[in-house]
Amino acid sequence: MKQLMSEIEINASPERVWEVLTDFTALGEWSPFVRSINGRLDVGETLKVYIKASKGMGMPFKPKVLKAVAGQEFRWLGRFLVPGLFDGEHYFIIEQLDGDRVQFIQGEIFTGLLVPVMSILKVMGNAHLGFQEMNQALKERAEQPPR
């Protein structure tokens, strides 16, 4: 098992951060990591996701939504080929601080037989960079007034 996590403080309400994060039609305008998501944000639904960090190759995959609590948390589970080979539970957590400020946490828990290989190939390092870039872009977008 290997876990990656990146967090950032955002000067916006949990509702505003959630609105930006889950507006899948606008992701391509601002997110440098999760480039697109298609599907419904309901537990048990399968999404079509495309990710690409600034370093590394892009990757399409079809994760299943594990949790979706408006203004608080969104999780999915993605798998490479078959369960147990290389699985990733990705999460986005919005923690209310005081006033209109939140701590935004993005991370992933990797499990499976290929975790050591993916570490050597720097796949996870590129993903961590993608988390950081996306968190910064989310902060910039959420702190702007809504359009």
Side-chain angles (χ1 to χ4, degrees), residues 45-91:
E45 290 292 319
T46 299
L47 302 173
K48 291 180 183 175
V49 178
Y50 182 75
I51 60 169
K52 184 179 184 316
S54 59
K55 295 183 179 180
M57 296 173 35
M59 183 177 84
F61 62 103
K62 295 180 179 178
K64 182 175 282 193
V65 177
L66 299 177
K67 188 173 188 177
V69 179
Q72 296 177 21
E73 185 173 358
F74 165 29
R75 287 180 182 261
W76 71 53
L77 177 64
R79 295 197 151 118
F80 180 67
L81 298 178
V82 295
L85 192 58
F86 187 65
D87 301 339
E89 182 176 329
H90 198 97
Y91 56 88

mmCIF file of all heavy atoms in Angstrom, residues 45-91:
data_model
loop_
_atom_site.group_PDB
_atom_site.id
_atom_site.type_symbol
_atom_site.label_atom_id
_atom_site.label_comp_id
_atom_site.label_asym_id
_atom_site.label_seq_id
_atom_site.Cartn_x
_atom_site.Cartn_y
_atom_site.Cartn_z
ATOM 1 N N GLU A 45 -22.172 4.731 -9.065
ATOM 2 C CA GLU A 45 -22.081 5.074 -10.491
ATOM 3 C C GLU A 45 -20.638 4.950 -10.983
ATOM 4 O O GLU A 45 -19.696 5.137 -10.227
ATOM 5 C CB GLU A 45 -22.565 6.512 -10.736
ATOM 6 C CG GLU A 45 -24.048 6.691 -10.557
ATOM 7 C CD GLU A 45 -24.861 5.973 -11.612
ATOM 8 O OE1 GLU A 45 -24.488 5.995 -12.801
ATOM 9 O OE2 GLU A 45 -25.888 5.374 -11.240
ATOM 10 N N THR A 46 -20.495 4.664 -12.271
ATOM 11 C CA THR A 46 -19.182 4.599 -12.898
ATOM 12 C C THR A 46 -18.962 5.887 -13.682
ATOM 13 O O THR A 46 -19.825 6.299 -14.460
ATOM 14 C CB THR A 46 -19.079 3.385 -13.842
ATOM 15 O OG1 THR A 46 -19.269 2.198 -13.063
ATOM 16 C CG2 THR A 46 -17.727 3.327 -14.526
ATOM 17 N N LEU A 47 -17.821 6.507 -13.446
ATOM 18 C CA LEU A 47 -17.463 7.745 -14.139
ATOM 19 C C LEU A 47 -16.474 7.434 -15.254
ATOM 20 O O LEU A 47 -15.779 6.412 -15.208
ATOM 21 C CB LEU A 47 -16.802 8.723 -13.157
ATOM 22 C CG LEU A 47 -17.605 9.136 -11.932
ATOM 23 C CD1 LEU A 47 -16.743 9.953 -10.989
ATOM 24 C CD2 LEU A 47 -18.849 9.912 -12.344
ATOM 25 N N LYS A 48 -16.379 8.324 -16.209
ATOM 26 C CA LYS A 48 -15.310 8.279 -17.206
ATOM 27 C C LYS A 48 -14.400 9.460 -16.887
ATOM 28 O O LYS A 48 -14.836 10.611 -16.958
ATOM 29 C CB LYS A 48 -15.872 8.410 -18.616
ATOM 30 C CG LYS A 48 -16.673 7.209 -19.057
ATOM 31 C CD LYS A 48 -17.201 7.401 -20.465
ATOM 32 C CE LYS A 48 -18.064 6.222 -20.862
ATOM 33 N NZ LYS A 48 -18.689 6.424 -22.167
ATOM 34 N N VAL A 49 -13.155 9.152 -16.514
ATOM 35 C CA VAL A 49 -12.228 10.174 -16.055
ATOM 36 C C VAL A 49 -10.974 10.152 -16.931
ATOM 37 O O VAL A 49 -10.507 9.085 -17.333
ATOM 38 C CB VAL A 49 -11.830 9.925 -14.576
ATOM 39 C CG1 VAL A 49 -10.817 10.945 -14.089
ATOM 40 C CG2 VAL A 49 -13.072 9.931 -13.686
ATOM 41 N N TYR A 50 -10.448 11.341 -17.197
ATOM 42 C CA TYR A 50 -9.169 11.448 -17.901
ATOM 43 C C TYR A 50 -8.261 12.336 -17.054
ATOM 44 O O TYR A 50 -8.634 13.461 -16.715
ATOM 45 C CB TYR A 50 -9.347 12.051 -19.300
ATOM 46 C CG TYR A 50 -8.039 12.133 -20.055
ATOM 47 C CD1 TYR A 50 -7.457 10.988 -20.592
ATOM 48 C CD2 TYR A 50 -7.377 13.339 -20.198
ATOM 49 C CE1 TYR A 50 -6.245 11.048 -21.273
ATOM 50 C CE2 TYR A 50 -6.163 13.412 -20.878
ATOM 51 C CZ TYR A 50 -5.609 12.263 -21.410
ATOM 52 O OH TYR A 50 -4.399 12.333 -22.061
ATOM 53 N N ILE A 51 -7.096 11.793 -16.682
ATOM 54 C CA ILE A 51 -6.123 12.561 -15.905
ATOM 55 C C ILE A 51 -4.831 12.693 -16.690
ATOM 56 O O ILE A 51 -4.477 11.830 -17.489
ATOM 57 C CB ILE A 51 -5.824 11.927 -14.531
ATOM 58 C CG1 ILE A 51 -5.251 10.528 -14.680
ATOM 59 C CG2 ILE A 51 -7.053 11.930 -13.646
ATOM 60 C CD1 ILE A 51 -4.696 9.949 -13.402
ATOM 61 N N LYS A 52 -4.137 13.806 -16.440
ATOM 62 C CA LYS A 52 -2.819 14.009 -17.021
ATOM 63 C C LYS A 52 -2.108 15.077 -16.223
ATOM 64 O O LYS A 52 -2.538 16.219 -16.194
ATOM 65 C CB LYS A 52 -2.899 14.419 -18.485
ATOM 66 C CG LYS A 52 -1.507 14.543 -19.120
ATOM 67 C CD LYS A 52 -1.583 14.936 -20.569
ATOM 68 C CE LYS A 52 -0.232 14.970 -21.243
ATOM 69 N NZ LYS A 52 0.843 15.601 -20.508
ATOM 70 N N ALA A 53 -1.039 14.667 -15.561
ATOM 71 C CA ALA A 53 -0.218 15.632 -14.842
ATOM 72 C C ALA A 53 0.666 16.366 -15.855
ATOM 73 O O ALA A 53 0.815 15.917 -16.996
ATOM 74 C CB ALA A 53 0.640 14.922 -13.802
ATOM 75 N N SER A 54 1.265 17.474 -15.434
ATOM 76 C CA SER A 54 2.124 18.222 -16.344
ATOM 77 C C SER A 54 3.322 17.384 -16.786
ATOM 78 O O SER A 54 3.857 17.581 -17.862
ATOM 79 C CB SER A 54 2.583 19.525 -15.706
ATOM 80 O OG SER A 54 3.295 19.261 -14.516
ATOM 81 N N LYS A 55 3.733 16.439 -15.945
ATOM 82 C CA LYS A 55 4.773 15.484 -16.320
ATOM 83 C C LYS A 55 4.107 14.120 -16.378
ATOM 84 O O LYS A 55 3.363 13.753 -15.499
ATOM 85 C CB LYS A 55 5.894 15.459 -15.287
ATOM 86 C CG LYS A 55 6.653 16.753 -15.196
ATOM 87 C CD LYS A 55 7.788 16.656 -14.215
ATOM 88 C CE LYS A 55 8.532 17.964 -14.169
ATOM 89 N NZ LYS A 55 9.656 17.911 -13.226
ATOM 90 N N GLY A 56 4.386 13.366 -17.409
ATOM 91 C CA GLY A 56 3.794 12.043 -17.511
ATOM 92 C C GLY A 56 2.746 11.972 -18.602
ATOM 93 O O GLY A 56 2.397 12.963 -19.228
ATOM 94 N N MET A 57 2.265 10.759 -18.796
ATOM 95 C CA MET A 57 1.279 10.488 -19.837
ATOM 96 C C MET A 57 -0.137 10.614 -19.286
ATOM 97 O O MET A 57 -0.361 10.400 -18.102
ATOM 98 C CB MET A 57 1.483 9.065 -20.372
ATOM 99 C CG MET A 57 2.811 8.871 -21.055
ATOM 100 S SD MET A 57 3.151 7.150 -21.525
ATOM 101 C CE MET A 57 1.580 6.514 -21.973
ATOM 102 N N GLY A 58 -1.069 10.909 -20.156
ATOM 103 C CA GLY A 58 -2.471 10.948 -19.773
ATOM 104 C C GLY A 58 -3.025 9.538 -19.653
ATOM 105 O O GLY A 58 -2.476 8.591 -20.223
ATOM 106 N N MET A 59 -4.108 9.423 -18.885
ATOM 107 C CA MET A 59 -4.684 8.105 -18.670
ATOM 108 C C MET A 59 -6.203 8.206 -18.507
ATOM 109 O O MET A 59 -6.685 8.893 -17.611
ATOM 110 C CB MET A 59 -4.080 7.480 -17.415
ATOM 111 C CG MET A 59 -4.567 6.070 -17.164
ATOM 112 S SD MET A 59 -3.791 5.324 -15.722
ATOM 113 C CE MET A 59 -4.846 5.960 -14.434
ATOM 114 N N PRO A 60 -6.937 7.502 -19.371
ATOM 115 C CA PRO A 60 -8.378 7.400 -19.157
ATOM 116 C C PRO A 60 -8.665 6.194 -18.258
ATOM 117 O O PRO A 60 -7.950 5.193 -18.302
ATOM 118 C CB PRO A 60 -8.925 7.161 -20.563
ATOM 119 C CG PRO A 60 -7.828 6.436 -21.264
ATOM 120 C CD PRO A 60 -6.538 6.925 -20.651
ATOM 121 N N PHE A 61 -9.685 6.295 -17.436
ATOM 122 C CA PHE A 61 -10.105 5.145 -16.633
ATOM 123 C C PHE A 61 -11.545 5.338 -16.201
ATOM 124 O O PHE A 61 -12.111 6.416 -16.377
ATOM 125 C CB PHE A 61 -9.161 4.895 -15.446
ATOM 126 C CG PHE A 61 -9.096 6.013 -14.456
ATOM 127 C CD1 PHE A 61 -9.757 5.921 -13.247
ATOM 128 C CD2 PHE A 61 -8.365 7.163 -14.717
ATOM 129 C CE1 PHE A 61 -9.705 6.950 -12.323
ATOM 130 C CE2 PHE A 61 -8.297 8.188 -13.799
ATOM 131 C CZ PHE A 61 -8.972 8.086 -12.602
ATOM 132 N N LYS A 62 -12.130 4.276 -15.654
ATOM 133 C CA LYS A 62 -13.549 4.293 -15.284
ATOM 134 C C LYS A 62 -13.710 3.877 -13.822
ATOM 135 O O LYS A 62 -14.002 2.719 -13.535
ATOM 136 C CB LYS A 62 -14.336 3.361 -16.202
ATOM 137 C CG LYS A 62 -14.344 3.814 -17.642
ATOM 138 C CD LYS A 62 -15.132 2.870 -18.510
ATOM 139 C CE LYS A 62 -15.148 3.362 -19.936
ATOM 140 N NZ LYS A 62 -15.867 2.438 -20.819
ATOM 141 N N PRO A 63 -13.560 4.842 -12.916
ATOM 142 C CA PRO A 63 -13.717 4.511 -11.498
ATOM 143 C C PRO A 63 -15.176 4.480 -11.070
ATOM 144 O O PRO A 63 -16.052 5.065 -11.717
ATOM 145 C CB PRO A 63 -12.981 5.659 -10.803
ATOM 146 C CG PRO A 63 -13.196 6.817 -11.728
ATOM 147 C CD PRO A 63 -13.170 6.238 -13.114
ATOM 148 N N LYS A 64 -15.403 3.820 -9.946
ATOM 149 C CA LYS A 64 -16.736 3.743 -9.357
ATOM 150 C C LYS A 64 -16.794 4.721 -8.182
ATOM 151 O O LYS A 64 -15.883 4.768 -7.357
ATOM 152 C CB LYS A 64 -17.026 2.326 -8.857
ATOM 153 C CG LYS A 64 -18.426 2.171 -8.271
ATOM 154 C CD LYS A 64 -18.720 0.750 -7.901
ATOM 155 C CE LYS A 64 -19.045 0.029 -9.189
ATOM 156 N NZ LYS A 64 -19.641 -1.282 -8.983
ATOM 157 N N VAL A 65 -17.869 5.493 -8.103
ATOM 158 C CA VAL A 65 -18.051 6.452 -7.015
ATOM 159 C C VAL A 65 -18.322 5.689 -5.716
ATOM 160 O O VAL A 65 -19.243 4.879 -5.646
ATOM 161 C CB VAL A 65 -19.210 7.434 -7.314
ATOM 162 C CG1 VAL A 65 -19.444 8.376 -6.137
ATOM 163 C CG2 VAL A 65 -18.947 8.210 -8.591
ATOM 164 N N LEU A 66 -17.496 5.954 -4.701
ATOM 165 C CA LEU A 66 -17.654 5.320 -3.390
ATOM 166 C C LEU A 66 -18.414 6.205 -2.412
ATOM 167 O O LEU A 66 -19.125 5.711 -1.545
ATOM 168 C CB LEU A 66 -16.281 4.996 -2.787
ATOM 169 C CG LEU A 66 -15.382 4.046 -3.554
ATOM 170 C CD1 LEU A 66 -14.043 3.905 -2.842
ATOM 171 C CD2 LEU A 66 -16.055 2.692 -3.717
ATOM 172 N N LYS A 67 -18.220 7.521 -2.538
ATOM 173 C CA LYS A 67 -18.831 8.449 -1.588
ATOM 174 C C LYS A 67 -18.998 9.803 -2.258
ATOM 175 O O LYS A 67 -18.106 10.254 -2.986
ATOM 176 C CB LYS A 67 -17.935 8.575 -0.354
ATOM 177 C CG LYS A 67 -18.536 9.353 0.784
ATOM 178 C CD LYS A 67 -17.634 9.258 2.021
ATOM 179 C CE LYS A 67 -18.308 9.870 3.226
ATOM 180 N NZ LYS A 67 -17.483 9.724 4.433
ATOM 181 N N ALA A 68 -20.118 10.452 -2.005
ATOM 182 C CA ALA A 68 -20.379 11.789 -2.527
ATOM 183 C C ALA A 68 -21.271 12.514 -1.530
ATOM 184 O O ALA A 68 -22.474 12.284 -1.492
ATOM 185 C CB ALA A 68 -21.034 11.723 -3.900
ATOM 186 N N VAL A 69 -20.662 13.349 -0.709
ATOM 187 C CA VAL A 69 -21.397 14.134 0.286
ATOM 188 C C VAL A 69 -21.153 15.604 -0.049
ATOM 189 O O VAL A 69 -20.033 16.108 0.105
ATOM 190 C CB VAL A 69 -20.924 13.819 1.726
ATOM 191 C CG1 VAL A 69 -21.690 14.672 2.726
ATOM 192 C CG2 VAL A 69 -21.059 12.335 2.037
ATOM 193 N N ALA A 70 -22.180 16.272 -0.537
ATOM 194 C CA ALA A 70 -22.059 17.650 -1.003
ATOM 195 C C ALA A 70 -21.385 18.542 0.030
ATOM 196 O O ALA A 70 -21.747 18.534 1.205
ATOM 197 C CB ALA A 70 -23.433 18.207 -1.363
ATOM 198 N N GLY A 71 -20.388 19.296 -0.419
ATOM 199 C CA GLY A 71 -19.679 20.232 0.434
ATOM 200 C C GLY A 71 -18.670 19.598 1.365
ATOM 201 O O GLY A 71 -18.026 20.304 2.139
ATOM 202 N N GLN A 72 -18.515 18.269 1.306
ATOM 203 C CA GLN A 72 -17.625 17.598 2.246
ATOM 204 C C GLN A 72 -16.628 16.631 1.616
ATOM 205 O O GLN A 72 -15.429 16.729 1.859
ATOM 206 C CB GLN A 72 -18.429 16.829 3.287
ATOM 207 C CG GLN A 72 -19.273 17.705 4.162
ATOM 208 C CD GLN A 72 -20.102 16.889 5.127
ATOM 209 O OE1 GLN A 72 -19.817 15.738 5.426
ATOM 210 N NE2 GLN A 72 -21.172 17.492 5.630
ATOM 211 N N GLU A 73 -17.120 15.666 0.839
ATOM 212 C CA GLU A 73 -16.218 14.611 0.397
ATOM 213 C C GLU A 73 -16.733 13.898 -0.852
ATOM 214 O O GLU A 73 -17.926 13.695 -1.014
ATOM 215 C CB GLU A 73 -16.050 13.578 1.518
ATOM 216 C CG GLU A 73 -15.055 12.503 1.231
ATOM 217 C CD GLU A 73 -14.800 11.589 2.429
ATOM 218 O OE1 GLU A 73 -15.396 11.827 3.518
ATOM 219 O OE2 GLU A 73 -14.013 10.658 2.281
ATOM 220 N N PHE A 74 -15.767 13.510 -1.683
ATOM 221 C CA PHE A 74 -16.037 12.783 -2.917
ATOM 222 C C PHE A 74 -14.906 11.766 -3.064
ATOM 223 O O PHE A 74 -13.736 12.122 -2.963
ATOM 224 C CB PHE A 74 -16.080 13.811 -4.050
ATOM 225 C CG PHE A 74 -15.998 13.318 -5.463
ATOM 226 C CD1 PHE A 74 -16.449 12.076 -5.849
ATOM 227 C CD2 PHE A 74 -15.480 14.157 -6.433
ATOM 228 C CE1 PHE A 74 -16.373 11.671 -7.173
ATOM 229 C CE2 PHE A 74 -15.407 13.772 -7.754
ATOM 230 C CZ PHE A 74 -15.854 12.517 -8.117
ATOM 231 N N ARG A 75 -15.262 10.478 -3.250
ATOM 232 C CA ARG A 75 -14.272 9.394 -3.410
ATOM 233 C C ARG A 75 -14.652 8.499 -4.568
ATOM 234 O O ARG A 75 -15.820 8.267 -4.818
ATOM 235 C CB ARG A 75 -14.234 8.491 -2.170
ATOM 236 C CG ARG A 75 -13.598 9.082 -0.977
ATOM 237 C CD ARG A 75 -13.622 8.094 0.210
ATOM 238 N NE ARG A 75 -13.034 8.735 1.344
ATOM 239 C CZ ARG A 75 -11.777 8.554 1.743
ATOM 240 N NH1 ARG A 75 -11.012 7.692 1.124
ATOM 241 N NH2 ARG A 75 -11.296 9.209 2.768
ATOM 242 N N TRP A 76 -13.611 7.964 -5.226
ATOM 243 C CA TRP A 76 -13.842 6.947 -6.244
ATOM 244 C C TRP A 76 -12.788 5.865 -6.120
ATOM 245 O O TRP A 76 -11.738 6.075 -5.513
ATOM 246 C CB TRP A 76 -13.875 7.536 -7.646
ATOM 247 C CG TRP A 76 -12.560 8.021 -8.201
ATOM 248 C CD1 TRP A 76 -11.371 7.342 -8.287
ATOM 249 C CD2 TRP A 76 -12.310 9.287 -8.821
ATOM 250 N NE1 TRP A 76 -10.405 8.085 -8.902
ATOM 251 C CE2 TRP A 76 -10.962 9.297 -9.245
ATOM 252 C CE3 TRP A 76 -13.098 10.396 -9.062
ATOM 253 C CZ2 TRP A 76 -10.384 10.384 -9.893
ATOM 254 C CZ3 TRP A 76 -12.508 11.475 -9.706
ATOM 255 C CH2 TRP A 76 -11.179 11.464 -10.112
ATOM 256 N N LEU A 77 -13.087 4.713 -6.711
ATOM 257 C CA LEU A 77 -12.137 3.607 -6.753
ATOM 258 C C LEU A 77 -11.891 3.257 -8.210
ATOM 259 O O LEU A 77 -12.813 2.907 -8.940
ATOM 260 C CB LEU A 77 -12.671 2.373 -6.012
ATOM 261 C CG LEU A 77 -11.773 1.138 -6.060
ATOM 262 C CD1 LEU A 77 -10.441 1.387 -5.358
ATOM 263 C CD2 LEU A 77 -12.483 -0.059 -5.440
ATOM 264 N N GLY A 78 -10.625 3.404 -8.614
ATOM 265 C CA GLY A 78 -10.218 3.046 -9.969
ATOM 266 C C GLY A 78 -9.354 1.792 -9.922
ATOM 267 O O GLY A 78 -8.627 1.569 -8.948
ATOM 268 N N ARG A 79 -9.457 0.998 -10.960
ATOM 269 C CA ARG A 79 -8.680 -0.245 -11.022
ATOM 270 C C ARG A 79 -8.002 -0.348 -12.377
ATOM 271 O O ARG A 79 -8.567 0.043 -13.400
ATOM 272 C CB ARG A 79 -9.594 -1.447 -10.827
ATOM 273 C CG ARG A 79 -10.202 -1.478 -9.453
ATOM 274 C CD ARG A 79 -10.746 -2.853 -9.155
ATOM 275 N NE ARG A 79 -10.701 -3.091 -7.726
ATOM 276 C CZ ARG A 79 -11.785 -3.307 -6.994
ATOM 277 N NH1 ARG A 79 -12.960 -3.354 -7.556
ATOM 278 N NH2 ARG A 79 -11.658 -3.514 -5.703
ATOM 279 N N PHE A 80 -6.796 -0.941 -12.372
ATOM 280 C CA PHE A 80 -6.074 -1.214 -13.604
ATOM 281 C C PHE A 80 -6.284 -2.678 -13.961
ATOM 282 O O PHE A 80 -5.847 -3.565 -13.223
ATOM 283 C CB PHE A 80 -4.586 -0.905 -13.433
ATOM 284 C CG PHE A 80 -3.763 -1.170 -14.658
ATOM 285 C CD1 PHE A 80 -3.942 -0.405 -15.793
ATOM 286 C CD2 PHE A 80 -2.843 -2.195 -14.679
ATOM 287 C CE1 PHE A 80 -3.190 -0.653 -16.927
ATOM 288 C CE2 PHE A 80 -2.087 -2.453 -15.804
ATOM 289 C CZ PHE A 80 -2.260 -1.676 -16.936
ATOM 290 N N LEU A 81 -6.995 -2.913 -15.034
ATOM 291 C CA LEU A 81 -7.319 -4.239 -15.570
ATOM 292 C C LEU A 81 -8.181 -5.074 -14.637
ATOM 293 O O LEU A 81 -9.358 -5.224 -14.870
ATOM 294 C CB LEU A 81 -6.049 -5.006 -15.971
ATOM 295 C CG LEU A 81 -5.197 -4.365 -17.071
ATOM 296 C CD1 LEU A 81 -3.950 -5.196 -17.337
ATOM 297 C CD2 LEU A 81 -5.995 -4.178 -18.360
ATOM 298 N N VAL A 82 -7.615 -5.656 -13.585
ATOM 299 C CA VAL A 82 -8.384 -6.527 -12.683
ATOM 300 C C VAL A 82 -8.173 -6.080 -11.236
ATOM 301 O O VAL A 82 -7.132 -5.524 -10.905
ATOM 302 C CB VAL A 82 -7.983 -8.017 -12.839
ATOM 303 C CG1 VAL A 82 -8.332 -8.523 -14.216
ATOM 304 C CG2 VAL A 82 -6.513 -8.226 -12.538
ATOM 305 N N PRO A 83 -9.154 -6.328 -10.360
ATOM 306 C CA PRO A 83 -8.987 -5.964 -8.949
ATOM 307 C C PRO A 83 -7.739 -6.620 -8.350
ATOM 308 O O PRO A 83 -7.446 -7.785 -8.610
ATOM 309 C CB PRO A 83 -10.254 -6.511 -8.281
ATOM 310 C CG PRO A 83 -11.259 -6.594 -9.389
ATOM 311 C CD PRO A 83 -10.476 -6.914 -10.625
ATOM 312 N N GLY A 84 -7.012 -5.827 -7.571
ATOM 313 C CA GLY A 84 -5.836 -6.346 -6.875
ATOM 314 C C GLY A 84 -4.532 -6.181 -7.622
ATOM 315 O O GLY A 84 -3.460 -6.418 -7.070
ATOM 316 N N LEU A 85 -4.598 -5.735 -8.874
ATOM 317 C CA LEU A 85 -3.373 -5.525 -9.641
ATOM 318 C C LEU A 85 -2.801 -4.141 -9.331
ATOM 319 O O LEU A 85 -1.650 -4.009 -8.922
ATOM 320 C CB LEU A 85 -3.655 -5.680 -11.132
ATOM 321 C CG LEU A 85 -2.458 -5.780 -12.052
ATOM 322 C CD1 LEU A 85 -1.556 -6.942 -11.678
ATOM 323 C CD2 LEU A 85 -2.924 -5.930 -13.501
ATOM 324 N N PHE A 86 -3.592 -3.108 -9.517
ATOM 325 C CA PHE A 86 -3.204 -1.738 -9.171
ATOM 326 C C PHE A 86 -4.487 -0.954 -8.988
ATOM 327 O O PHE A 86 -5.133 -0.552 -9.951
ATOM 328 C CB PHE A 86 -2.335 -1.122 -10.270
ATOM 329 C CG PHE A 86 -1.759 0.224 -9.910
ATOM 330 C CD1 PHE A 86 -0.844 0.359 -8.886
ATOM 331 C CD2 PHE A 86 -2.148 1.356 -10.606
ATOM 332 C CE1 PHE A 86 -0.308 1.601 -8.556
ATOM 333 C CE2 PHE A 86 -1.620 2.606 -10.284
ATOM 334 C CZ PHE A 86 -0.700 2.724 -9.256
ATOM 335 N N ASP A 87 -4.907 -0.792 -7.744
ATOM 336 C CA ASP A 87 -6.150 -0.110 -7.406
ATOM 337 C C ASP A 87 -5.828 1.234 -6.750
ATOM 338 O O ASP A 87 -4.856 1.340 -5.994
ATOM 339 C CB ASP A 87 -6.981 -0.942 -6.428
ATOM 340 C CG ASP A 87 -7.348 -2.309 -6.985
ATOM 341 O OD1 ASP A 87 -7.331 -2.486 -8.215
ATOM 342 O OD2 ASP A 87 -7.664 -3.208 -6.187
ATOM 343 N N GLY A 88 -6.653 2.221 -7.030
ATOM 344 C CA GLY A 88 -6.463 3.524 -6.418
ATOM 345 C C GLY A 88 -7.775 4.080 -5.898
ATOM 346 O O GLY A 88 -8.729 4.235 -6.658
ATOM 347 N N GLU A 89 -7.813 4.335 -4.599
ATOM 348 C CA GLU A 89 -8.973 5.008 -4.013
ATOM 349 C C GLU A 89 -8.621 6.477 -3.891
ATOM 350 O O GLU A 89 -7.797 6.869 -3.063
ATOM 351 C CB GLU A 89 -9.329 4.428 -2.647
ATOM 352 C CG GLU A 89 -10.561 5.079 -2.063
ATOM 353 C CD GLU A 89 -11.021 4.478 -0.754
ATOM 354 O OE1 GLU A 89 -10.829 3.259 -0.543
ATOM 355 O OE2 GLU A 89 -11.578 5.240 0.068
ATOM 356 N N HIS A 90 -9.221 7.282 -4.743
ATOM 357 C CA HIS A 90 -8.931 8.720 -4.819
ATOM 358 C C HIS A 90 -9.949 9.466 -3.982
ATOM 359 O O HIS A 90 -11.131 9.124 -4.002
ATOM 360 C CB HIS A 90 -9.010 9.178 -6.276
ATOM 361 C CG HIS A 90 -8.341 10.483 -6.519
ATOM 362 N ND1 HIS A 90 -7.060 10.567 -6.999
ATOM 363 C CD2 HIS A 90 -8.764 11.749 -6.334
ATOM 364 C CE1 HIS A 90 -6.725 11.851 -7.110
ATOM 365 N NE2 HIS A 90 -7.752 12.586 -6.702
ATOM 366 N N TYR A 91 -9.500 10.484 -3.273
ATOM 367 C CA TYR A 91 -10.436 11.247 -2.447
ATOM 368 C C TYR A 91 -10.180 12.741 -2.525
ATOM 369 O O TYR A 91 -9.056 13.198 -2.730
ATOM 370 C CB TYR A 91 -10.409 10.773 -0.992
ATOM 371 C CG TYR A 91 -9.051 10.801 -0.332
ATOM 372 C CD1 TYR A 91 -8.579 11.937 0.323
ATOM 373 C CD2 TYR A 91 -8.238 9.671 -0.350
ATOM 374 C CE1 TYR A 91 -7.336 11.956 0.937
ATOM 375 C CE2 TYR A 91 -6.995 9.678 0.265
ATOM 376 C CZ TYR A 91 -6.547 10.819 0.901
ATOM 377 O OH TYR A 91 -5.306 10.839 1.500
#
